[in-house]
PDB file of all heavy atoms in Angstrom:
ATOM      1  N   SER A  18      -3.180 -41.403  -6.543  1.00 58.00           N
ATOM      2  CA  SER A  18      -1.791 -41.838  -6.689  1.00 58.00           C
ATOM      3  C   SER A  18      -1.037 -41.590  -5.391  1.00 58.00           C
ATOM      4  O   SER A  18      -1.477 -40.817  -4.524  1.00 58.00           O
ATOM      5  CB  SER A  18      -1.120 -41.062  -7.833  1.00 58.00           C
ATOM      6  OG  SER A  18      -0.984 -39.698  -7.482  1.00 58.00           O
ATOM      7  N   LEU A  19       0.103 -42.251  -5.259  1.00 52.00           N
ATOM      8  CA  LEU A  19       0.928 -42.059  -4.072  1.00 52.00           C
ATOM      9  C   LEU A  19       1.340 -40.599  -3.939  1.00 52.00           C
ATOM     10  O   LEU A  19       1.349 -40.036  -2.840  1.00 52.00           O
ATOM     11  CB  LEU A  19       2.168 -42.958  -4.151  1.00 52.00           C
ATOM     12  CG  LEU A  19       3.178 -42.814  -3.003  1.00 52.00           C
ATOM     13  CD1 LEU A  19       2.522 -43.144  -1.665  1.00 52.00           C
ATOM     14  CD2 LEU A  19       4.389 -43.695  -3.254  1.00 52.00           C
ATOM     15  N   PHE A  20       1.648 -39.958  -5.064  1.00 51.00           N
ATOM     16  CA  PHE A  20       2.051 -38.545  -5.041  1.00 51.00           C
ATOM     17  C   PHE A  20       0.918 -37.663  -4.496  1.00 51.00           C
ATOM     18  O   PHE A  20       1.145 -36.766  -3.681  1.00 51.00           O
ATOM     19  CB  PHE A  20       2.438 -38.086  -6.450  1.00 51.00           C
ATOM     20  CG  PHE A  20       2.761 -36.623  -6.544  1.00 51.00           C
ATOM     21  CD1 PHE A  20       3.974 -36.125  -6.085  1.00 51.00           C
ATOM     22  CD2 PHE A  20       1.833 -35.729  -7.071  1.00 51.00           C
ATOM     23  CE1 PHE A  20       4.257 -34.770  -6.158  1.00 51.00           C
ATOM     24  CE2 PHE A  20       2.112 -34.382  -7.155  1.00 51.00           C
ATOM     25  CZ  PHE A  20       3.328 -33.896  -6.700  1.00 51.00           C
ATOM     26  N   GLU A  21      -0.340 -37.940  -4.938  1.00 56.00           N
ATOM     27  CA  GLU A  21      -1.483 -37.145  -4.484  1.00 56.00           C
ATOM     28  C   GLU A  21      -1.712 -37.319  -2.991  1.00 56.00           C
ATOM     29  O   GLU A  21      -2.030 -36.360  -2.277  1.00 56.00           O
ATOM     30  CB  GLU A  21      -2.738 -37.537  -5.261  1.00 56.00           C
ATOM     31  CG  GLU A  21      -2.710 -37.090  -6.726  1.00 56.00           C
ATOM     32  CD  GLU A  21      -3.896 -37.650  -7.509  1.00 56.00           C
ATOM     33  OE1 GLU A  21      -4.388 -38.743  -7.147  1.00 56.00           O
ATOM     34  OE2 GLU A  21      -4.328 -36.974  -8.456  1.00 56.00           O
ATOM     35  N   ARG A  22      -1.543 -38.556  -2.502  1.00 55.00           N
ATOM     36  CA  ARG A  22      -1.744 -38.788  -1.077  1.00 55.00           C
ATOM     37  C   ARG A  22      -0.653 -38.120  -0.244  1.00 55.00           C
ATOM     38  O   ARG A  22      -0.914 -37.560   0.815  1.00 55.00           O
ATOM     39  CB  ARG A  22      -1.784 -40.285  -0.794  1.00 55.00           C
ATOM     40  CG  ARG A  22      -3.133 -40.917  -1.161  1.00 55.00           C
ATOM     41  CD  ARG A  22      -3.144 -42.406  -0.901  1.00 55.00           C
ATOM     42  NE  ARG A  22      -2.369 -43.119  -1.921  1.00 55.00           N
ATOM     43  CZ  ARG A  22      -2.093 -44.417  -1.865  1.00 55.00           C
ATOM     44  NH1 ARG A  22      -2.500 -45.134  -0.817  1.00 55.00           N
ATOM     45  NH2 ARG A  22      -1.421 -45.004  -2.830  1.00 55.00           N
ATOM     46  N   LEU A  23       0.582 -38.158  -0.714  1.00 45.00           N
ATOM     47  CA  LEU A  23       1.672 -37.496  -0.001  1.00 45.00           C
ATOM     48  C   LEU A  23       1.481 -35.985   0.004  1.00 45.00           C
ATOM     49  O   LEU A  23       1.722 -35.315   1.009  1.00 45.00           O
ATOM     50  CB  LEU A  23       3.016 -37.853  -0.644  1.00 45.00           C
ATOM     51  CG  LEU A  23       3.505 -39.289  -0.420  1.00 45.00           C
ATOM     52  CD1 LEU A  23       4.780 -39.541  -1.234  1.00 45.00           C
ATOM     53  CD2 LEU A  23       3.780 -39.531   1.060  1.00 45.00           C
ATOM     54  N   THR A  24       1.021 -35.448  -1.128  1.00 48.00           N
ATOM     55  CA  THR A  24       0.784 -34.001  -1.217  1.00 48.00           C
ATOM     56  C   THR A  24      -0.296 -33.571  -0.237  1.00 48.00           C
ATOM     57  O   THR A  24      -0.208 -32.515   0.401  1.00 48.00           O
ATOM     58  CB  THR A  24       0.361 -33.605  -2.651  1.00 48.00           C
ATOM     59  OG1 THR A  24       1.376 -34.003  -3.558  1.00 48.00           O
ATOM     60  CG2 THR A  24       0.131 -32.109  -2.757  1.00 48.00           C
ATOM     61  N   ALA A  25      -1.350 -34.388  -0.093  1.00 49.00           N
ATOM     62  CA  ALA A  25      -2.429 -34.069   0.835  1.00 49.00           C
ATOM     63  C   ALA A  25      -1.938 -34.044   2.278  1.00 49.00           C
ATOM     64  O   ALA A  25      -2.401 -33.259   3.096  1.00 49.00           O
ATOM     65  CB  ALA A  25      -3.563 -35.076   0.691  1.00 49.00           C
TER      66      ALA A  25
END
Side-chain angles (χ1 to χ4, degrees):
S18 68
L19 177 60
F20 175 76
E21 290 173 331
R22 282 179 285 173
L23 288 174
T24 302

